Amino acid sequence: MKFWGIVPKVAVLSAPYAAAAFYLNGRFNATSIQLVKPGIFLMAIGVVLWLLCYLEVSRAHARGELLTTGCYSMVRHPIYSIWGFLILPGFSLVVGGFMLALPIVY
């Protein structure tokens, strides 16, 4: 079992877009579409859920067990789902502009 999973592959695809979006946001002042409060709300929920799932899977990994309870009994990859549905969209809402397409790229 690889501990990092698909994180390197996702980073290779989404990091260049994120860098380009930050550059374009600064260059063209495209941050007029910002929804800061909903974005922070999504990110806060996402970070809390991510920490809970991460602690569960880390404990199971340290014991060498397959985790099939808790958040892993409902979703096959809850950490990736939390990033894709809560943290990245929330971050994109806070930053605005070209970053709003980041969840689609992810």
Side-chain angles (χ1 to χ4, degrees):
M1 177 167 102
K2 290 174 32 177
F3 187 75
W4 288 103
I6 66 165
V7 171
K9 292 177 185 176
V10 170
V12 164
L13 294 174
S14 58
Y17 176 80
F22 275 120
Y23 172 75
L24 292 171
N25 279 349
R27 178 105 168 110
F28 297 110
N29 197 15
T31 57
S32 61
I33 305 172
Q34 289 183 323
L35 299 170
V36 177
K37 288 182 183 177
I40 290 174
F41 179 73
L42 284 176
M43 285 192 307
I45 290 173
V47 167
V48 168
L49 291 175
W50 178 82
L51 282 172
L52 293 173
C53 291
Y54 179 77
L55 290 174
E56 276 188 55
V57 78
S58 293
R59 289 182 193 130
H61 182 70
R63 293 188 304 260
E65 297 176 355
L66 177 65
L67 187 59
T68 58
T69 59
C71 58
Y72 284 84
S73 67
M74 296 177 247
V75 178
R76 179 175 276 183
H77 301 292
I79 291 176
Y80 301 141
S81 300
I82 290 166
W83 270 96
F85 291 115
L86 294 172
I87 296 175
L88 278 177
F91 178 76
S92 299
L93 288 174
V94 169
V95 176
F98 291 98
M99 289 299 291
L100 290 174
L102 183 60
I104 296 166
V105 172
Y106 176 75

XYZ file of all heavy atoms in Angstrom:
824
model
N 0.849 -1.182 0.000
C 0.000 0.000 0.000
C 0.887 1.235 0.000
O 1.706 1.414 0.884
C -0.899 -0.027 1.232
C -1.763 1.189 1.374
S -3.062 0.969 2.593
C -2.386 1.856 3.966
N 0.743 2.068 -1.020
C 1.507 3.300 -1.094
C 0.834 4.357 -0.220
O -0.352 4.595 -0.345
C 1.599 3.786 -2.526
C 2.485 2.896 -3.377
C 2.529 3.227 -4.835
C 2.392 4.637 -5.215
N 2.509 4.889 -6.642
N 1.601 4.991 0.642
C 1.036 5.953 1.580
C 0.553 7.217 0.880
O -0.456 7.786 1.268
C 2.063 6.296 2.664
C 1.485 7.148 3.754
C 0.638 6.599 4.694
C 1.779 8.495 3.845
C 0.094 7.366 5.699
C 1.237 9.276 4.842
C 0.395 8.696 5.777
N 1.235 7.660 -0.163
C 0.872 8.913 -0.822
C -0.252 8.754 -1.822
O -0.834 9.732 -2.256
C 2.084 9.543 -1.496
C 3.034 10.106 -0.493
C 4.198 9.556 -0.086
C 2.881 11.300 0.268
N 4.794 10.349 0.868
C 3.993 11.419 1.102
C 1.904 12.292 0.321
C 4.171 12.490 1.977
C 2.079 13.345 1.190
C 3.197 13.440 2.006
N -0.576 7.553 -2.275
C -1.697 7.337 -3.189
C -1.513 8.077 -4.500
O -0.451 8.040 -5.103
N -2.549 8.800 -4.927
C -2.501 9.506 -6.211
C -2.104 10.970 -6.068
O -2.154 11.715 -7.041
C -3.856 9.417 -6.941
C -4.937 10.178 -6.174
C -4.232 7.992 -7.215
C -6.179 10.428 -6.996
N -1.696 11.370 -4.886
C -1.359 12.776 -4.652
C -0.310 13.299 -5.634
O -0.481 14.389 -6.190
C -0.924 13.001 -3.186
C -0.361 14.392 -2.974
C -2.090 12.746 -2.258
N 0.783 12.575 -5.889
C 1.754 13.112 -6.854
C 1.161 13.316 -8.254
O 1.467 14.316 -8.908
C 2.858 12.051 -6.880
C 2.747 11.361 -5.573
C 1.278 11.367 -5.257
N 0.319 12.407 -8.709
C -0.282 12.545 -10.038
C -1.224 13.748 -10.089
O -1.227 14.499 -11.064
C -1.045 11.277 -10.410
C -0.153 10.089 -10.624
C -0.958 8.846 -10.921
C -0.047 7.635 -11.021
N -0.779 6.402 -11.204
N -2.013 13.937 -9.061
C -2.929 15.081 -9.016
C -2.137 16.381 -8.947
O -2.481 17.363 -9.600
C -3.901 14.951 -7.821
C -4.687 16.226 -7.615
C -4.832 13.770 -8.024
N -1.056 16.393 -8.170
C -0.237 17.597 -8.039
C 0.391 17.969 -9.380
O 0.452 19.153 -9.731
C 0.838 17.389 -6.984
N 0.844 16.978 -10.137
C 1.460 17.253 -11.433
C 0.455 17.904 -12.377
O 0.804 18.782 -13.165
C 2.037 15.956 -12.050
C 2.341 16.107 -13.522
C 3.273 15.536 -11.292
N -0.811 17.517 -12.293
C -1.829 18.073 -13.184
C -2.391 19.406 -12.702
O -2.655 20.304 -13.496
C -2.968 17.077 -13.366
C -2.605 15.778 -14.088
C -3.783 14.816 -14.060
C -2.182 16.065 -15.506
N -2.603 19.540 -11.397
C -3.279 20.742 -10.912
C -2.330 21.865 -10.484
O -2.715 23.033 -10.516
C -4.232 20.397 -9.765
O -3.532 19.789 -8.703
N -1.113 21.560 -10.096
C -0.188 22.604 -9.654
C 0.156 23.600 -10.768
O 0.172 24.808 -10.513
C 1.075 21.991 -9.062
N 0.433 23.159 -12.013
C 0.707 24.158 -13.061
C -0.487 25.078 -13.310
O -0.308 26.278 -13.513
C 1.018 23.316 -14.295
C 1.448 22.008 -13.769
C 0.676 21.810 -12.502
N -1.695 24.521 -13.284
C -2.870 25.376 -13.474
C -2.993 26.371 -12.328
O -3.291 27.546 -12.544
C -4.161 24.563 -13.584
C -5.345 25.483 -13.685
C -5.669 26.075 -14.901
C -6.092 25.839 -12.573
C -6.713 26.974 -15.003
C -7.133 26.734 -12.660
C -7.444 27.290 -13.876
O -8.463 28.187 -13.968
N -2.790 25.914 -11.099
C -2.898 26.811 -9.951
C -1.871 27.933 -10.052
O -2.192 29.094 -9.788
C -2.712 26.029 -8.653
N -0.639 27.607 -10.453
C 0.388 28.635 -10.601
C -0.007 29.631 -11.695
O 0.114 30.848 -11.509
C 1.730 27.983 -10.931
N -0.493 29.127 -12.815
C -0.923 30.014 -13.898
C -2.102 30.882 -13.457
O -2.159 32.075 -13.784
C -1.300 29.203 -15.128
N -3.037 30.303 -12.709
C -4.199 31.064 -12.254
C -3.793 32.171 -11.290
O -4.312 33.284 -11.370
C -5.207 30.128 -11.596
N -2.865 31.878 -10.372
C -2.374 32.929 -9.483
C -1.716 34.053 -10.280
O -1.913 35.227 -9.999
C -1.380 32.375 -8.461
C -2.027 31.800 -7.246
C -1.826 30.475 -6.911
C -2.825 32.572 -6.423
C -2.409 29.936 -5.781
C -3.423 32.049 -5.294
C -3.212 30.719 -4.977
N -0.924 33.691 -11.267
C -0.278 34.696 -12.103
C -1.320 35.540 -12.837
O -1.243 36.771 -12.843
C 0.662 34.020 -13.109
C 1.203 34.981 -14.128
C 2.202 35.887 -13.788
C 0.697 35.007 -15.420
C 2.692 36.789 -14.717
C 1.178 35.904 -16.361
C 2.172 36.788 -16.005
O 2.639 37.684 -16.930
N -2.305 34.872 -13.451
C -3.328 35.596 -14.206
C -4.194 36.457 -13.298
O -4.592 37.559 -13.677
C -4.191 34.613 -14.996
C -3.476 33.899 -16.143
C -4.358 32.790 -16.703
C -3.073 34.882 -17.218
N -4.508 35.966 -12.100
C -5.271 36.779 -11.148
C -4.537 38.065 -10.810
O -5.135 39.138 -10.730
C -5.548 35.996 -9.864
C -6.707 35.049 -9.988
O -7.448 35.097 -10.959
N -6.848 34.169 -9.024
N -3.232 37.965 -10.578
C -2.445 39.156 -10.260
C -2.254 40.073 -11.456
O -2.304 41.289 -11.330
N -2.045 39.493 -12.607
C -1.771 40.272 -13.831
C -2.990 41.044 -14.306
O -2.882 42.185 -14.714
C -1.299 39.323 -14.921
C -1.018 39.955 -16.224
C 0.481 40.045 -16.427
N 0.765 40.390 -17.803
C 1.251 41.554 -18.168
N 1.503 42.465 -17.266
N 1.495 41.812 -19.422
N -4.159 40.402 -14.287
C -5.367 41.020 -14.825
C -6.338 41.486 -13.750
O -7.445 41.890 -14.046
C -6.077 40.040 -15.765
C -5.257 39.679 -16.957
C -4.741 38.414 -17.086
C -4.985 40.622 -17.934
C -3.977 38.066 -18.184
C -4.215 40.296 -19.033
C -3.708 39.005 -19.158
N -5.935 41.394 -12.473
C -6.797 41.797 -11.369
C -8.176 41.147 -11.506
O -9.204 41.815 -11.443
C -6.907 43.319 -11.280
C -7.430 43.763 -9.935
O -7.440 42.981 -8.983
N -7.856 45.002 -9.849
N -8.175 39.843 -11.699
C -9.405 39.098 -11.974
C -10.039 38.533 -10.714
O -10.739 37.538 -10.759
C -9.107 37.970 -12.954
N -9.810 39.153 -9.584
C -10.370 38.647 -8.337
C -11.684 39.330 -7.982
O -12.069 39.392 -6.831
C -9.368 38.810 -7.180
O -9.029 40.189 -7.082
C -8.135 37.970 -7.409
N -12.391 39.843 -8.981
C -13.651 40.530 -8.702
C -14.752 39.547 -8.298
O -15.717 39.937 -7.656
C -14.090 41.331 -9.927
O -14.288 40.459 -11.026
N -14.618 38.277 -8.663
C -15.611 37.268 -8.278
C -15.083 36.560 -7.042
O -14.334 35.605 -7.133
C -15.844 36.253 -9.406
C -16.236 36.951 -10.690
C -16.899 35.238 -9.000
C -16.291 36.035 -11.888
N -15.434 37.067 -5.882
C -14.988 36.467 -4.631
C -16.190 36.258 -3.725
O -17.008 37.156 -3.552
C -13.980 37.351 -3.917
C -12.637 37.409 -4.584
C -11.675 38.252 -3.773
O -12.059 39.256 -3.179
N -10.431 37.854 -3.756
N -16.277 35.100 -3.191
C -17.291 34.776 -2.200
C -16.556 34.270 -0.962
O -16.458 33.079 -0.712
C -18.251 33.723 -2.754
C -19.015 34.148 -4.010
C -19.736 32.972 -4.618
C -19.993 35.253 -3.676
N -16.018 35.207 -0.199
C -15.098 34.877 0.880
C -15.761 34.066 1.989
O -15.242 33.026 2.396
C -14.445 36.160 1.451
C -13.545 35.827 2.620
C -13.662 36.870 0.363
N -16.909 34.503 2.482
C -17.534 33.801 3.609
C -17.937 32.366 3.262
O -17.617 31.446 4.018
C -18.719 34.598 4.143
C -18.296 35.844 4.890
C -19.471 36.593 5.445
C -18.992 37.874 6.128
N -20.097 38.675 6.620
N -18.633 32.131 2.144
C -18.932 30.734 1.798
C -17.667 29.909 1.557
O -17.608 28.736 1.910
C -19.759 30.825 0.516
C -20.268 32.210 0.474
C -19.279 33.050 1.213
N -16.635 30.534 0.985
C -15.381 29.821 0.741
C -14.693 29.412 2.028
O -14.222 28.277 2.160
N -14.637 30.313 2.983
C -14.022 29.994 4.274
C -14.823 28.918 4.993
O -14.258 28.019 5.622
C -13.864 31.264 5.127
C -12.793 32.158 4.511
C -13.521 30.932 6.566
C -12.637 33.503 5.165
N -16.146 28.992 4.895
C -17.010 27.982 5.505
C -16.718 26.594 4.918
O -16.544 25.624 5.657
C -18.479 28.363 5.299
C -19.450 27.387 5.876
C -19.629 27.296 7.245
C -20.193 26.559 5.058
C -20.522 26.395 7.791
C -21.088 25.660 5.579
C -21.259 25.575 6.958
N -16.640 26.501 3.586
C -16.339 25.224 2.938
C -14.959 24.702 3.332
O -14.785 23.514 3.619
C -16.414 25.359 1.419
C -17.788 25.429 0.786
C -17.661 25.668 -0.717
C -18.575 24.161 1.050
N -13.977 25.608 3.359
C -12.626 25.185 3.723
C -12.548 24.730 5.182
O -11.875 23.745 5.485
C -11.623 26.311 3.485
C -11.308 26.520 2.034
S -9.882 27.591 1.722
C -10.257 29.054 2.657
N -13.240 25.415 6.079
C -13.210 25.037 7.491
C -13.811 23.652 7.693
O -13.227 22.809 8.385
C -13.944 26.079 8.335
N -14.955 23.416 7.090
C -15.577 22.085 7.189
C -14.655 21.038 6.578
O -14.445 19.964 7.147
C -16.953 22.068 6.491
C -17.944 22.892 7.283
C -17.473 20.639 6.343
C -19.264 23.071 6.585
N -14.078 21.360 5.425
C -13.187 20.428 4.753
C -11.958 20.081 5.563
O -11.573 18.914 5.647
N -11.340 21.074 6.174
C -10.127 20.826 6.955
C -10.441 19.966 8.179
O -9.695 19.031 8.503
C -9.448 22.152 7.354
C -8.381 21.944 8.402
C -8.865 22.827 6.123
N -11.542 20.224 8.848
C -11.923 19.421 10.023
C -12.178 17.970 9.603
O -11.659 17.027 10.227
C -13.158 20.023 10.733
C -13.726 19.060 11.753
C -12.789 21.346 11.386
N -12.964 17.776 8.550
C -13.234 16.412 8.078
C -11.966 15.732 7.585
O -11.745 14.541 7.833
C -14.289 16.436 6.965
C -15.704 16.804 7.384
C -16.601 16.914 6.158
C -16.256 15.786 8.365
N -11.108 16.479 6.895
C -9.853 15.919 6.414
C -8.988 15.448 7.578
O -8.414 14.357 7.529
C -9.105 16.965 5.583
C -7.780 16.471 5.086
C -7.552 15.700 3.991
C -6.508 16.703 5.693
N -6.201 15.449 3.870
C -5.538 16.054 4.898
C -6.089 17.403 6.817
C -4.191 16.085 5.209
C -4.746 17.427 7.118
C -3.822 16.786 6.314
N -8.882 16.263 8.629
C -8.084 15.873 9.789
C -8.637 14.613 10.449
O -7.876 13.717 10.831
C -8.020 17.017 10.811
C -7.060 18.141 10.482
C -7.230 19.298 11.459
C -5.629 17.644 10.490
N -9.965 14.538 10.576
C -10.566 13.343 11.179
C -10.265 12.099 10.356
O -9.866 11.060 10.898
C -12.080 13.527 11.331
C -12.526 14.578 12.340
C -14.034 14.770 12.265
C -12.109 14.167 13.741
N -10.442 12.181 9.053
C -10.171 11.038 8.177
C -8.689 10.691 8.170
O -8.317 9.514 8.190
C -10.644 11.321 6.756
S -12.428 11.389 6.600
N -7.836 11.702 8.141
C -6.400 11.465 8.128
C -5.945 10.757 9.402
O -5.130 9.830 9.352
C -5.647 12.781 7.954
C -4.152 12.606 7.953
C -3.501 12.122 6.824
C -3.399 12.882 9.082
C -2.128 11.934 6.829
C -2.035 12.699 9.098
C -1.406 12.216 7.964
O -0.049 12.028 7.969
N -6.466 11.188 10.550
C -6.097 10.534 11.803
C -6.556 9.077 11.817
O -5.812 8.197 12.254
C -6.686 11.301 12.994
C -6.058 12.666 13.262
C -6.821 13.396 14.361
C -4.597 12.520 13.630
N -7.767 8.815 11.323
C -8.261 7.437 11.266
C -7.375 6.560 10.403
O -6.976 5.471 10.805
C -9.681 7.406 10.690
C -10.778 7.667 11.662
C -12.132 7.419 11.038
O -12.358 6.305 10.517
O -12.960 8.338 11.057
N -7.084 7.021 9.196
C -6.307 6.200 8.271
C -4.849 6.078 8.731
O -4.229 5.034 8.526
C -6.413 6.719 6.824
C -5.538 7.922 6.570
C -6.095 5.612 5.832
N -4.301 7.085 9.374
C -2.930 7.004 9.880
C -2.808 5.964 10.985
O -1.842 5.197 11.022
C -2.465 8.359 10.403
O -2.356 9.270 9.350
N -3.784 5.942 11.872
C -3.767 4.942 12.944
C -3.883 3.532 12.382
O -3.175 2.619 12.806
C -4.903 5.210 13.931
C -4.675 6.428 14.775
C -5.797 6.624 15.777
N -5.723 7.944 16.356
C -6.723 8.790 16.456
N -7.931 8.437 16.022
N -6.565 9.964 16.994
N -4.780 3.343 11.430
C -4.946 2.023 10.819
C -3.692 1.625 10.043
O -3.271 0.461 10.091
C -6.166 2.007 9.905
N -3.085 2.568 9.346
C -1.865 2.282 8.576
C -0.722 1.877 9.508
O 0.051 0.975 9.190
C -1.481 3.507 7.749
C -0.281 3.299 6.895
N -0.295 2.485 5.793
C 0.981 3.797 6.995
C 0.908 2.481 5.241
N 1.690 3.283 5.954
N -0.615 2.542 10.654
C 0.431 2.215 11.620
C 0.251 0.807 12.172
O 1.228 0.117 12.476
C 0.436 3.237 12.757
N -1.002 0.364 12.301
C -1.283 -0.998 12.780
C -1.231 -2.021 11.657
O -1.331 -3.214 11.914
C -2.667 -1.046 13.438
C -2.787 -0.250 14.724
C -4.108 -0.498 15.402
N -5.252 -0.215 14.547
C -5.994 0.886 14.571
N -5.703 1.825 15.437
N -7.001 1.050 13.760
N -1.125 -1.561 10.416
C -1.100 -2.470 9.275
C -2.467 -3.045 8.943
O -2.562 -4.137 8.381
N -3.523 -2.320 9.278
C -4.888 -2.790 9.057
C -5.547 -2.042 7.902
O -5.192 -0.905 7.589
C -5.732 -2.571 10.317
C -5.258 -3.343 11.525
C -6.064 -3.015 12.766
O -6.928 -2.108 12.709
O -5.811 -3.644 13.804
N -6.524 -2.694 7.306
C -7.362 -2.058 6.295
C -8.516 -1.376 7.014
O -9.233 -2.009 7.792
C -7.890 -3.098 5.304
C -8.840 -2.583 4.240
C -8.121 -1.608 3.324
C -9.403 -3.737 3.433
N -8.705 -0.112 6.769
C -9.742 0.657 7.445
C -11.056 0.541 6.692
O -11.150 0.904 5.524
C -9.326 2.124 7.550
C -10.229 3.037 8.368
C -10.352 2.534 9.798
C -9.689 4.436 8.366
N -12.072 -0.021 7.350
C -13.391 -0.180 6.727
C -14.505 0.386 7.606
O -15.669 0.124 7.359
C -13.684 -1.666 6.451
O -13.614 -2.397 7.685
C -12.690 -2.240 5.468
N -14.142 1.157 8.610
C -15.145 1.749 9.495
C -15.055 3.272 9.410
O -14.176 3.815 8.760
C -14.903 1.307 10.959
O -13.600 1.728 11.352
C -15.031 -0.201 11.105
N -15.964 3.951 10.080
C -15.956 5.414 10.108
C -16.224 5.999 8.740
O -17.080 5.520 7.990
N -15.451 7.029 8.383
C -15.664 7.687 7.093
C -15.354 6.748 5.931
O -15.908 6.904 4.843
C -14.840 8.961 7.009
S -13.073 8.725 7.218
N -14.510 5.770 6.137
C -14.164 4.822 5.067
C -15.237 3.765 4.848
O -15.161 3.007 3.894
C -12.810 4.170 5.347
C -11.678 5.111 5.051
C -11.260 6.043 5.991
C -11.068 5.115 3.813
C -10.242 6.928 5.710
C -10.054 6.001 3.520
C -9.646 6.903 4.468
O -8.653 7.796 4.178
N -16.235 3.710 5.700
C -17.354 2.790 5.461
C -18.396 3.425 4.534
O -19.239 2.729 3.984
C -18.014 2.387 6.778
O -18.651 3.503 7.373
N -18.321 4.739 4.349
C -19.303 5.448 3.522
C -18.760 5.855 2.156
O -19.493 5.867 1.183
C -19.778 6.703 4.264
C -20.517 6.413 5.532
S -20.947 7.926 6.372
C -19.915 7.775 7.809
N -17.483 6.223 2.089
C -16.862 6.706 0.855
C -15.540 5.965 0.684
O -14.793 5.808 1.643
C -16.597 8.235 0.934
C -15.923 8.739 -0.317
C -17.882 8.983 1.189
N -15.251 5.543 -0.525
C -14.020 4.784 -0.762
C -12.769 5.636 -0.531
O -11.797 5.170 0.050
C -14.008 4.238 -2.174
C -12.739 3.462 -2.474
C -12.794 2.825 -3.810
N -13.497 1.576 -3.668
C -13.674 0.714 -4.642
N -13.241 0.987 -5.846
N -14.309 -0.409 -4.433
N -12.770 6.861 -0.978
C -11.620 7.755 -0.824
C -12.086 9.080 -0.223
O -12.159 10.096 -0.920
C -10.948 8.013 -2.171
C -10.456 6.787 -2.844
N -9.407 6.045 -2.348
C -10.874 6.156 -3.954
C -9.195 5.023 -3.133
N -10.077 5.057 -4.112
N -12.391 9.119 1.081
C -12.938 10.349 1.660
C -11.965 11.524 1.649
O -12.387 12.665 1.490
C -13.308 9.951 3.087
C -12.500 8.746 3.371
C -12.285 8.053 2.069
N -10.663 11.273 1.773
C -9.711 12.386 1.791
C -9.693 13.084 0.442
O -9.718 14.314 0.355
C -8.315 11.898 2.220
C -8.352 11.493 3.691
C -7.261 12.969 1.979
C -7.074 10.907 4.229
N -9.674 12.318 -0.645
C -9.708 12.917 -1.981
C -11.048 13.617 -2.220
O -11.099 14.677 -2.833
C -9.488 11.874 -3.068
C -8.180 11.132 -2.952
C -8.103 9.781 -3.228
C -7.010 11.787 -2.559
C -6.905 9.100 -3.136
C -5.818 11.105 -2.456
C -5.767 9.763 -2.757
O -4.589 9.096 -2.660
N -12.122 13.015 -1.741
C -13.445 13.620 -1.915
C -13.546 14.942 -1.170
O -14.112 15.913 -1.687
C -14.535 12.669 -1.420
O -14.499 11.466 -2.131
N -13.005 14.991 0.029
C -13.029 16.230 0.811
C -12.252 17.328 0.095
O -12.709 18.465 0.003
C -12.462 15.978 2.228
C -13.443 15.125 3.029
C -12.157 17.282 2.943
C -12.869 14.538 4.291
N -11.084 16.982 -0.451
C -10.308 17.977 -1.203
C -11.071 18.447 -2.422
O -11.112 19.638 -2.720
C -8.944 17.393 -1.621
C -7.907 17.630 -0.591
C -7.525 16.758 0.378
C -7.137 18.807 -0.390
N -6.559 17.329 1.168
C -6.302 18.583 0.710
C -7.073 20.025 -1.041
C -5.410 19.536 1.176
C -6.185 20.973 -0.583
C -5.367 20.724 0.517
N -11.665 17.514 -3.159
C -12.331 17.868 -4.404
C -13.651 18.590 -4.243
O -14.023 19.408 -5.078
N -14.378 18.290 -3.160
C -15.720 18.866 -2.997
C -15.807 19.992 -1.972
O -16.781 20.736 -1.959
C -16.727 17.784 -2.618
C -17.001 16.823 -3.723
C -16.642 15.487 -3.601
C -17.607 17.232 -4.898
C -16.879 14.592 -4.620
C -17.854 16.351 -5.917
C -17.487 15.023 -5.785
N -14.820 20.127 -1.087
C -14.895 21.164 -0.058
C -13.701 22.123 -0.068
O -13.882 23.339 -0.176
C -15.027 20.520 1.331
C -16.321 19.753 1.594
C -16.237 18.999 2.909
C -17.506 20.691 1.586
N -12.492 21.602 0.058
C -11.331 22.471 0.249
C -10.978 23.248 -1.020
O -10.849 24.481 -0.978
C -10.128 21.662 0.771
C -10.463 21.107 2.164
C -8.877 22.527 0.822
C -9.422 20.192 2.751
N -10.820 22.575 -2.146
C -10.474 23.298 -3.382
C -11.561 24.265 -3.837
O -11.256 25.410 -4.176
C -10.142 22.318 -4.500
C -8.724 21.774 -4.492
C -8.537 20.756 -5.605
C -7.711 22.866 -4.611
N -12.838 23.854 -3.844
C -13.860 24.853 -4.202
C -13.903 26.027 -3.225
O -14.070 27.176 -3.642
C -15.163 24.064 -4.179
C -14.760 22.664 -4.430
C -13.425 22.520 -3.758
N -13.735 25.754 -1.925
C -13.723 26.840 -0.948
C -12.575 27.792 -1.172
O -12.742 29.012 -1.159
N -11.402 27.242 -1.403
C -10.231 28.062 -1.695
C -10.449 28.886 -2.961
O -10.114 30.070 -3.018
C -9.001 27.166 -1.838
C -7.753 27.903 -2.192
C -7.078 28.649 -1.242
C -7.249 27.860 -3.475
C -5.926 29.330 -1.563
C -6.102 28.538 -3.814
C -5.437 29.277 -2.852
N -11.030 28.271 -3.961
C -11.283 28.965 -5.221
C -12.281 30.106 -5.043
O -12.159 31.152 -5.678
C -11.787 27.988 -6.270
O -10.818 26.996 -6.502
N -13.284 29.914 -4.189
C -14.245 30.986 -3.922
C -13.584 32.154 -3.202
O -13.908 33.314 -3.461
C -15.423 30.461 -3.103
C -16.395 29.546 -3.839
C -17.419 28.982 -2.860
C -17.086 30.268 -4.968
N -12.657 31.851 -2.295
C -11.971 32.920 -1.560
C -11.068 33.717 -2.489
O -11.075 34.945 -2.484
C -11.161 32.335 -0.383
C -10.244 33.378 0.228
C -12.097 31.778 0.678
N -10.300 33.030 -3.308
C -9.339 33.697 -4.188
C -10.037 34.313 -5.393
O -9.704 35.409 -5.827
C -8.229 32.719 -4.616
C -7.294 33.354 -5.603
C -7.462 32.240 -3.401
N -11.009 33.611 -5.958
C -11.787 34.128 -7.084
C -11.037 34.123 -8.399
O -9.974 33.538 -8.536
N -11.619 34.792 -9.395
C -10.987 34.927 -10.702
C -10.750 33.605 -11.403
O -11.611 32.753 -11.471
N -9.531 33.437 -11.910
C -9.162 32.252 -12.669
C -9.112 30.994 -11.796
O -9.143 29.884 -12.306
C -7.807 32.456 -13.353
C -7.858 33.458 -14.458
C -7.468 34.768 -14.243
C -8.310 33.095 -15.710
C -7.516 35.698 -15.268
C -8.363 34.012 -16.739
C -7.970 35.324 -16.519
N -9.028 31.159 -10.500
C -8.964 29.998 -9.608
C -10.295 29.253 -9.548
O -10.342 28.120 -9.100
C -8.562 30.418 -8.189
C -7.126 30.836 -8.072
S -5.956 29.541 -8.482
C -6.206 28.436 -7.139
N -11.390 29.859 -9.978
C -12.683 29.200 -9.902
C -12.745 27.936 -10.760
O -13.591 27.078 -10.528
C -13.797 30.164 -10.284
C -14.038 31.273 -9.259
C -15.059 32.275 -9.808
C -14.518 30.712 -7.946
N -11.876 27.781 -11.722
C -11.861 26.570 -12.552
C -10.955 25.489 -11.959
O -10.936 24.365 -12.483
C -11.405 26.902 -13.967
N -10.250 25.758 -10.880
C -9.341 24.770 -10.301
C -10.037 23.472 -9.905
O -9.509 22.399 -10.173
C -8.576 25.361 -9.113
C -7.540 24.454 -8.475
C -6.471 24.059 -9.494
C -6.906 25.118 -7.280
N -11.214 23.488 -9.270
C -11.866 22.221 -8.954
C -12.175 21.381 -10.203
O -12.130 20.152 -10.161
C -13.157 22.631 -8.242
C -12.843 23.958 -7.668
C -11.928 24.611 -8.664
N -12.451 22.030 -11.307
C -12.718 21.291 -12.546
C -11.434 20.634 -13.034
O -11.431 19.476 -13.443
C -13.312 22.225 -13.614
C -14.666 22.743 -13.140
C -13.434 21.519 -14.950
C -15.186 23.908 -13.945
N -10.311 21.362 -12.953
C -9.021 20.801 -13.344
C -8.666 19.646 -12.437
O -8.174 18.606 -12.868
C -7.916 21.887 -13.326
C -6.543 21.288 -13.548
C -8.216 22.952 -14.355
N -8.920 19.801 -11.141
C -8.614 18.753 -10.162
C -9.403 17.518 -10.485
O -8.923 16.423 -10.475
C -8.925 19.261 -8.756
C -8.727 18.242 -7.681
C -7.451 17.896 -7.275
C -9.793 17.620 -7.071
C -7.248 16.960 -6.278
C -9.600 16.682 -6.067
C -8.332 16.350 -5.676
O -8.130 15.434 -4.691
